[in-house]
């Protein structure tokens, strides 16, 4: 019988055919029929070259059972002991049970162990970048050194690694990308982790574009590689690109929901935060927002979350509304208002008033974000919209001349929520500052049927003020600072707004009466003649119709006719 004879326990349920043998039956597979066997069972692949009988044959029956990941190998003790010092020691101590499961602590593929046993039986084996790391670990673990047997496997594997793998960047990466944690532990025991890392770092420093190839490596290898490369004068663009692509591959891609996968993702996103630089503008805002969202979802450590928040706030003026939308809504459909406030608070605390352009960018971005939220989220509640609008208004205060963005967002929100009652509409419009609407926005709002009546009336009044001021500026030819009279006019607008807010929503007939009476309020509330009214009178701008409008509250006297005799 050939020395290389394997016995497999075929766990099947029937004994009527070759493919359905009895569970307890041991089948001895000779090299001559091995290829036929793998075609039927698909266990291993063996080339015709390897199926030839070795020169040294053993007439003894296999006397050693080994198990690798549930696969049963029936081998010869003497043959393995010739190559392995560890097997020899276990046999001498009569530790057969430990010998049967000698590789239980190693994450070894049965096909790799099959390769090692072929070497023990005198077959020529082919080493490659795909199997060299596992073969090295087995040879080291079984103590297959030249001290025990000449021309042993450990020395051959090390020579192949030095001459064929480490000399090539692609072969080195290929050899490492399939390493499991247990294999990496064995590599660390041997001291080969540092050998691999030194080889890759040396090549990466000569061409940082090679960093893109490292995204397939396990985190245990990738993080120290990037940390070491970052200590040298390398292209920060290539460094950031590699880290971002690593996150996209290992974190952003969807998974089956396995808990172990989520745990690994959490470790990766925390490592990504540690590896990313803090320089402003080196990382896209979209990636930072997405990373922050993933860190929250994966329950990453607080340092990780704060790190992403700090990078975002440092370049918030470079973000877009779509970037901000990445954070919301959350799983329950709500918006993380506190998170948004924290980012804004950090942003404003980092810049002085001289950075007004950045404030303008953030204010406009928040208005666009409010509009996008209103347009894209049909389930957006009035209360949430009001909170987001409050943030947008606060950001635009004393920064933007007009608040047209707020108005557009309100218009879209009311369009998508046609079923709101009047009080809910007023809540949605609560932070709309009519005084900060442009003439074009005022014109649109004055005809907008979706707006509450009170808001429309405020807009109409503001429109009159805007026309008055425009005419005054054209007459004077220059834009002057506010005089005391102009301040008084602003007080009039504020007073008018308060009066309008006191109006109650009543049946149509009452509405009409209120509107009629409102004309009197508009024209007659002033206690003294304003500069604007006096100017119109001097230049003949007051007509009989306007005068009548102003005196509409005066009851007309009943005409008296006298008879002349």
């Amino acid at each position: 019988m050939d020395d290389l004879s394997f016995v497999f326990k075929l766990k099947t349920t029937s004994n009527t055919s070759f493919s359905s043998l009895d569970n307890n039956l041991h089948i001895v597979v000779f090299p001559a029929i091995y290829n036929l066997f793998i075609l039927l069972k698909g266990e291993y692949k063996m080339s015709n070259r390897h199926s030839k009988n070795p020169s040294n044959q053993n007439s003894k029956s296999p006397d050693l059972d080994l198990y690798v990941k549930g696969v049963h190998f029936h081998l010869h003790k003497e043959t393995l002991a010739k190559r392995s010092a560890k097997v020899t020691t276990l046999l001498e101590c009569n530790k057969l049970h430990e010998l049967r499961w000698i590789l239980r602590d190693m994450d070894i593929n049965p096909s790799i162990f099959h390769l090692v046993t072929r070497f023990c039986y005198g077959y020529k084996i082919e080493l490659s970048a795909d199997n060299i790391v596992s073969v090295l670990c087995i040879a080291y673990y079984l103590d297959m050194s030249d001290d025990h047997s000449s021309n042993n496997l450990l020395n051959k594997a090390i020579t192949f690694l030095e001459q064929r793998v480490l000399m090539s960047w692609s072969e080195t990466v290929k050899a490492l990308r399939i390493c499991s944690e247990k294999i990496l532990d064995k590599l660390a025991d041997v001291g080969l982790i540092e050998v691999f890392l030194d080889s890759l770092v040396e090549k990466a420093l000569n061409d940082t574009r090679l960093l893109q190839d490292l995204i397939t490596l396990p985190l245990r290898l990738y993080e120290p590689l990037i940390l070491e490369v970052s200590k040298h004068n390398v292209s920060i663009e290539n460094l950031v690109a590699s880290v971002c692509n690593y996150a996209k591959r290992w974190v952003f891609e969807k998974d089956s929901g396995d808990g172990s996968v989520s745990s690994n993702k959490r470790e990766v996103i925390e490592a990504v935060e540690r590896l990313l630089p803090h320089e402003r503008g080196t990382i896209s805002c979209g990636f930072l927002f997405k990373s922050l969202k993933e860190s929250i979802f994966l329950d990453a450590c607080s340092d990780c979350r704060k790190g992403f928040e700090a990078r975002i706030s440092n370049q918030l003026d470079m973000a877009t509304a779509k970037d901000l939308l990445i954070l919301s809504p959350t799983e329950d459909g709500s918006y993380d208002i506190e998170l948004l406030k924290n980012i804004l608070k950090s942003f404003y605390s980092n810049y002085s008033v001289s950075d007004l352009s950045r404030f303008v960018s953030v204010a406009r971005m928040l208005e666009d974000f409010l509009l996008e939220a209103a347009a894209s989220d049909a389930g957006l509640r009035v209360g949430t919209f009001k909170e987001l609008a409050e943030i947008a208004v606060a950001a635009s205060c004393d920064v933007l001349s007009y608040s047209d963005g707020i108005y557009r967002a309100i218009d879209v929100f009311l369009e998508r929520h046609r079923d709101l009652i009047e009080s809910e509409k007023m809540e949605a419009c609560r932070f709309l500052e009519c005084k900060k609407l442009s003439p074009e926005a005022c014109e649109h709002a004055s005809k907008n049927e979706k707006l509450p009546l009170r808001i429309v009336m405020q807009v109409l009044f503001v429109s009159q003020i805007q026309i008055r001021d425009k005419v005054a500026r054209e007459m004077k030819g220059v834009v002057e600072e506010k005089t005391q009279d102009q301040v008084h006019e602003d007080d009039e607008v504020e007073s008018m707004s308060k009066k309008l807010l006191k109006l109650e929503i009543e049946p149509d007939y009452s509405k009409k009466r209120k509107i009629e009476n409102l004309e009197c309020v508009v024209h007659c509330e002033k206690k003294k003649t304003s500069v604007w009214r006096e100017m119109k009178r001097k230049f003949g701008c007051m007509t009989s119709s306007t005068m009548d409008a102003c005196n509409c509250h005066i009851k007309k006297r009943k005409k008296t006719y006298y008879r002349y005799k």
Side-chain angles (χ1 to χ4, degrees):
M1 181 176 63
D2 193 293
D3 283 351
L4 185 59
S5 301
F6 296 91
V7 177
F8 297 90
K9 280 189 176 179
L10 305 178
K11 295 183 178 180
T12 56
T13 58
S14 173
N15 57 5
T16 57
S17 65
F18 180 78
S19 61
S20 304
L21 297 172
D22 187 84
N23 288 346
N24 298 321
L25 184 62
H26 289 65
I27 303 299
V28 179
V29 184
F30 295 95
I33 62 171
Y34 187 73
N35 285 340
L36 175 61
F37 177 77
I38 62 171
L39 288 175
L40 294 173
K41 301 304 296 178
E43 293 288 344
Y44 296 109
K45 294 182 179 179
M46 183 183 295
S47 65
N48 291 330
R49 180 179 66 231
H50 291 162
S51 64
K52 296 179 181 179
N53 293 338
S55 58
N56 55 327
Q57 296 184 353
N58 191 336
S59 59
K60 295 181 180 180
S61 299
D63 55 1
L64 176 63
D65 294 330
L66 291 184
Y67 297 89
V68 179
K69 285 191 171 180
V71 178
H72 181 195
F73 291 86
H74 206 78
L75 307 169
H76 295 85
K77 298 176 183 177
E78 182 181 353
T79 303
L80 263 64
K82 286 180 180 179
R83 290 295 187 179
S84 171
K86 188 176 184 68
V87 172
T88 301
T89 301
L90 292 175
L91 288 174
E92 291 175 351
C93 298
N94 199 27
K95 296 182 178 180
L96 294 180
H97 178 74
E98 185 176 343
L99 181 57
R100 290 191 184 98
W101 298 96
I102 192 171
L103 298 178
R104 64 180 179 275
D105 295 330
M106 298 183 66
D107 188 17
I108 296 296
N109 192 298
S111 63
I112 303 297
F113 182 67
H114 169 227
L115 195 70
V116 173
T117 58
R118 286 185 62 82
F119 174 82
C120 294
Y121 279 93
Y123 283 94
K124 182 180 179 180
I125 63 174
E126 291 185 1
L127 298 176
S128 67
D130 291 324
N131 61 36
I132 185 60
V133 173
S134 296
V135 169
L136 260 172
C137 290
I138 295 176
Y140 175 79
Y141 184 72
L142 297 180
D143 195 6
M144 301 174 70
S145 65
D146 282 10
D147 293 338
H148 181 73
S149 175
S150 61
N151 296 321
N152 215 341
L153 183 58
L154 183 59
N155 184 58
K156 290 182 180 294
I158 291 176
T159 301
F160 181 85
L161 177 68
E162 293 176 343
Q163 297 178 357
R164 300 286 299 276
V165 177
L166 295 179
M167 299 297 291
S168 168
W169 168 272
S170 59
E171 291 294 286
T172 305
V173 173
K174 187 177 181 180
L176 292 174
R177 69 175 48 149
I178 59 174
C179 292
S180 64
E181 283 298 316
K182 289 185 177 180
I183 291 294
L184 292 176
D185 289 339
K186 296 302 177 183
L187 282 179
D189 293 340
V190 183
L192 286 177
I193 291 286
E194 290 75 14
V195 174
F196 278 107
L197 294 182
D198 291 343
S199 174
L200 291 174
V201 169
E202 180 183 1
K203 295 176 177 63
L205 292 177
N206 294 327
D207 185 2
T208 54
R209 291 174 299 179
L210 295 174
L211 294 175
Q212 297 302 318
D213 299 335
L214 300 179
I215 65 173
T216 58
L217 296 182
L219 180 63
R220 183 172 173 179
L221 297 174
Y222 181 80
E223 185 174 9
L225 268 172
I226 298 299
L227 286 174
E228 184 61 33
V229 171
S230 63
K231 295 177 182 178
H232 301 79
N233 187 22
V234 298
S235 168
I236 193 170
E237 291 79 10
N238 290 331
L239 193 67
V240 169
S242 178
V243 176
C244 292
N245 287 331
Y246 194 83
K248 291 175 184 177
R249 178 183 177 91
W250 296 97
V251 179
F252 297 162
E253 291 183 359
K254 294 182 179 180
D255 58 80
S256 59
D258 187 359
S260 60
V261 175
S262 297
S263 176
N264 181 62
K265 284 188 172 186
R266 180 167 56 251
E267 293 177 3
V268 173
I269 197 65
E270 291 175 352
V272 166
E273 190 280 324
R274 292 192 295 267
L275 294 174
L276 287 174
H278 287 267
E279 288 81 358
R280 169 182 162 85
T282 57
I283 314 164
S284 71
C285 292
F287 176 83
L288 289 175
F289 276 105
K290 195 166 186 179
S291 298
L292 176 57
K293 184 173 183 177
E294 288 292 338
S295 67
I296 296 172
F297 174 75
L298 296 171
D299 195 24
C301 65
S302 59
D303 288 342
C304 175
R305 173 171 170 167
K306 290 178 181 178
F308 285 122
E309 287 183 15
R311 290 176 177 87
I312 289 173
S313 62
N314 190 36
Q315 59 184 59
L316 186 61
D317 56 297
M318 303 169 67
T320 65
K322 293 188 181 298
D323 293 334
L324 204 55
L325 279 173
I326 295 175
L327 285 180
S328 48
T330 56
E331 287 186 341
D332 60 355
S334 62
Y335 287 72
D336 196 337
I337 303 296
E338 288 304 316
L339 175 60
L340 181 57
K341 288 181 178 179
N342 288 339
I343 293 175
L344 288 170
K345 181 179 179 181
S346 179
F347 168 76
Y348 287 115
S349 64
N350 289 333
Y351 295 104
S352 61
V353 181
S354 60
D355 299 315
L356 186 59
S357 61
R358 296 182 179 180
F359 292 166
V360 171
S361 298
V362 170
R364 287 175 177 167
M365 183 266 291
L366 289 173
E367 288 189 348
D368 292 341
F369 167 66
L370 183 64
L371 176 62
E372 291 284 348
S376 60
D377 188 2
L380 184 62
R381 297 186 292 268
V382 176
T384 304
F385 178 81
K386 187 177 68 172
E387 288 182 296
L388 295 176
E390 182 181 12
I391 294 175
V393 170
S396 64
C397 181
D398 297 328
V399 174
L400 299 181
S401 301
Y402 296 114
S403 297
D404 292 3
I406 305 294
Y407 168 69
R408 285 193 295 269
I410 291 174
D411 182 49
V412 171
F413 180 78
L414 295 179
E415 176 65 31
R416 298 209 65 183
H417 298 77
R418 288 278 189 170
D419 57 340
L420 295 180
I421 60 177
E422 196 75 4
S423 60
E424 291 175 326
K425 290 182 180 181
M426 283 300 301
E427 280 295 299
C429 299
R430 181 175 180 181
F431 293 100
L432 177 62
E433 296 183 79
C434 295
K435 293 187 296 183
K436 294 186 66 175
L437 293 179
S438 67
E440 295 77 15
C442 282
E443 182 180 359
H444 185 277
S446 64
K447 303 174 184 177
N448 193 338
E449 297 179 353
K450 298 186 291 290
L451 292 175
L453 177 62
R454 303 175 191 178
I455 302 299
V456 174
M457 296 311 302
Q458 288 186 53
V459 171
L460 290 173
F461 186 76
V462 169
S463 297
Q464 290 185 356
I465 300 297
Q466 289 178 345
I467 295 173
R468 177 198 67 186
D469 292 342
K470 181 179 179 181
V471 173
R473 288 194 297 268
E474 290 176 352
M475 288 180 176
K476 294 183 178 180
V478 293
V479 180
E480 298 178 348
E481 295 183 356
K482 287 185 176 182
T483 62
Q484 188 63 32
D485 288 336
Q486 287 174 317
V487 173
H488 176 70
E489 294 296 336
D490 287 341
D491 293 339
E492 292 180 37
V493 175
E494 187 67 25
S495 176
M496 183 61 191
S497 298
K498 291 180 180 179
K499 290 180 180 294
L500 288 170
L501 288 174
K502 291 179 181 179
L503 290 175
E504 296 294 334
I505 303 302
E506 298 177 357
D508 292 341
Y509 175 78
S510 298
K511 284 184 181 179
K512 293 179 181 179
R513 296 302 303 163
K514 293 287 185 181
I515 294 173
E516 290 174 0
N517 293 335
L518 187 60
E519 295 180 358
C520 304
V521 176
V522 171
H523 294 285
C524 304
E525 182 65 22
K526 301 176 184 178
K527 297 182 179 180
K528 64 178 182 178
T529 304
S530 67
V531 175
W532 164 240
R533 185 176 178 84
E534 185 66 16
M535 185 178 298
K536 287 199 297 182
R537 186 187 66 78
K538 288 183 178 179
F539 286 90
C541 297
M542 301 294 291
T543 64
S544 59
S545 60
T546 57
M547 292 294 291
D548 291 339
C550 295
N551 296 327
C552 60
H553 66 291
I554 303 176
K555 295 182 179 180
K556 294 183 180 180
R557 289 185 177 182
K558 185 177 180 180
K559 289 185 178 180
T560 303
Y561 297 91
Y562 297 94
R563 288 187 178 182
Y564 293 91
K565 294 182 180 179

